């Protein structure tokens, strides 16, 4: 029973994190693209495309973090001390970005408008980069002695974590460009097509570089991906990445709006699955597995009863909001402001 509940909770938390990444990813990606789009009207339109959904997207971050705290307390107590600095910077950037989101529409002067635009964009960059830093620091491993964090204050800052931070900025920018392709039209959409093509190459290069670096980081990663028969079992992941990349660029050429966005999401999904293959079953690599970190089965069962109610409610709400605000957001139409 404990094994089954632990697996269920690991899947739920992994799903919540992935939903946060892809949903808040295009939202943050819109801010990442601000330096490439200069006009006030276009920037207002960009923000209006995410205005109805941006705060709801972050619900999945709360669900993932809350689930980690309640169900895998040892992992929570180990990961947070290792990543305090980038996590605090990420949260501050999200708050700063949220304030800028509200205030940019109420700026009284052009100068203050530009200041809030920069705040919105900088908040998006910092939050995204810090998320990538956290991912890289987790993947490269956290030093643990007994059941406690034993590393230093700056262990999270390495060339690999900086690489994953930069990679995530490019990936979120790609999601933002594909979202704008789907939700806008005219000149802004054409710019989004050009940006999506450029960022598609950046994202694929980042996936390749990070994937090549991971076997160097750990013997376990190398055995998981490069030894027989594991290599045959894991081979579908890079093959599907190649197919999705080809389909993505074809979709851009054919101006297939929805397909290009779905292919970008697919690239993130394949990367996430590849990460899961590399780390499984460790929740705090290289030492703590999901079973080591899990709370008592009775607590897992009690919490799962609440999740069975809460998660469908969040899914229904999210689906309804996206359906309600479906379609293009036209310039000059009533918006957030």
């Amino acid at each position: 029973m404990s094994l089954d509940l632990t697996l269920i909770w690991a899947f739920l938390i992994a799903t919540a994190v992935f939903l946060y990444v892809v949903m808040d990813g295009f939202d943050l990606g819109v801010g990442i693209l601000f330096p490439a789009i200069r006009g006030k009207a276009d920037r207002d339109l960009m923000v209006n495309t995410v205005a109805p959904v941006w705060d709801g997207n972050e619900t999945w971050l709360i669900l993932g973090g809350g689930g980690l705290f309640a169900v895998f307390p040892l992992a929570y107590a180990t990961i947070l001390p290792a990543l305090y600095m980038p996590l605090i910077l990420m949260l501050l950037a999200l708050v700063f970005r949220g304030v800028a989101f509200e205030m940019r529409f109420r700026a009284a002067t052009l100068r203050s408008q530009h200041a809030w635009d920069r705040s919105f964009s900088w908040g998006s960059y910092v939050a995204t980069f810090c998320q990538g830093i956290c991912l890289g620091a987790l993947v490269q491993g956290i030093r643990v002695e007994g059941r406690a964090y034993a590393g230093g204050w700056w262990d999270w800052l390495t060339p690999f974590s900086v690489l994953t931070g930069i990679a995530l900025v490019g990936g979120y920018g790609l999601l933002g460009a594909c979202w704008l392709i789907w939700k806008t039209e005219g000149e802004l959409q054409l710019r989004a097509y050009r940006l999506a093509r450029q960022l598609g190459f950046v994202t694929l290069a980042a996936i390749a570089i990070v994937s090549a670096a991971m076997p160097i980081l750990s013997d376990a990663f190398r055995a998981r991906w490069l030894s027989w028969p594991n290599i045959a079992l894991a081979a579908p992941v890079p093959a599907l990445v190649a197919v999705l990349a080809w389909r993505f660029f074809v979709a851009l050429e054919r101006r297939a709006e929805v397909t290009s966005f779905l292919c970008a999401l697919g690239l993130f999904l394949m990367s996430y699955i590849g990460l899961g293959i590399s780390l499984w079953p460790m929740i705090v690599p290289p030492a703590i597995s999901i079973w080591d970190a899990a709370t008592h089965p009775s607590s897992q069962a009690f919490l799962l009863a609440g999740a069975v109610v809460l998660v469908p409610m969040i899914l229904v709400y999210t689906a309804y909001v996206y359906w309600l605000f479906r379609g293009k957001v036209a310039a000059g139409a009533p918006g957030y402001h």
Side-chain angles (χ1 to χ4, degrees), residues 20-162:
Y20 168 75
V21 166
V22 295
M23 288 184 177
D24 210 36
F26 71 75
D27 175 353
L28 289 163
V30 167
I32 288 170
L33 296 179
F34 254 41
I37 309 293
R38 294 291 183 179
K40 179 183 183 302
D42 285 340
R43 287 183 170 183
D44 287 347
L45 182 58
M46 291 166 68
V47 172
N48 278 334
T49 65
V50 298
V53 298
W54 76 278
D55 48 354
N57 292 341
E58 294 178 355
T59 303
W60 297 105
L61 178 62
I62 298 170
L63 181 62
L68 187 69
F69 171 76
V71 183
F72 299 103
L74 178 59
Y76 185 89
T78 305
I79 292 172
L80 256 68
L83 303 178
Y84 269 141
M85 179 62 76
L87 285 174
I88 290 171
L89 289 175
M90 179 197 76
L91 294 173
L92 289 175
L94 288 175
V95 171
F96 196 63
R97 178 179 178 273
V99 172
F101 193 104
E102 303 283 345
M103 296 301 294
R104 65 176 305 278
F105 284 114
R106 290 156 178 80
T109 65
L110 187 61
R111 183 177 180 179
S112 60
Q113 170 80 54
H114 288 161
W116 287 119
D117 280 354
R118 285 193 294 271
S119 299
F120 180 69
S121 183
W122 291 347
S124 301
Y125 274 96
V126 172
T128 302
F129 184 70
C130 288
Q131 288 178 21
I133 285 276
C134 291
L135 173 62
L138 182 65
V139 169
Q140 72 190 8
I142 293 175
R143 285 193 286 166
V144 175
E145 289 183 6
R147 298 172 67 87
Y149 175 60
W153 180 252
W154 296 100
D155 281 10
W156 53 270
L157 186 59
T158 66
F160 181 76
S161 67
V162 171

Side-chain angles (χ1 to χ4, degrees), residues 164-199:
T164 54
I166 295 171
L168 198 61
V169 170
Y172 278 7
L174 173 64
L175 290 180
C178 291
W179 173 257
L180 292 177
I181 288 171
W182 190 8
K183 300 295 289 185
T184 64
E185 52 194 358
E187 180 60 30
L188 179 57
Q189 187 190 54
L190 292 177
R191 292 185 198 175
Y193 270 116
R194 291 194 290 269
L195 289 168
R197 183 176 180 81
Q198 295 165 6
L199 289 167

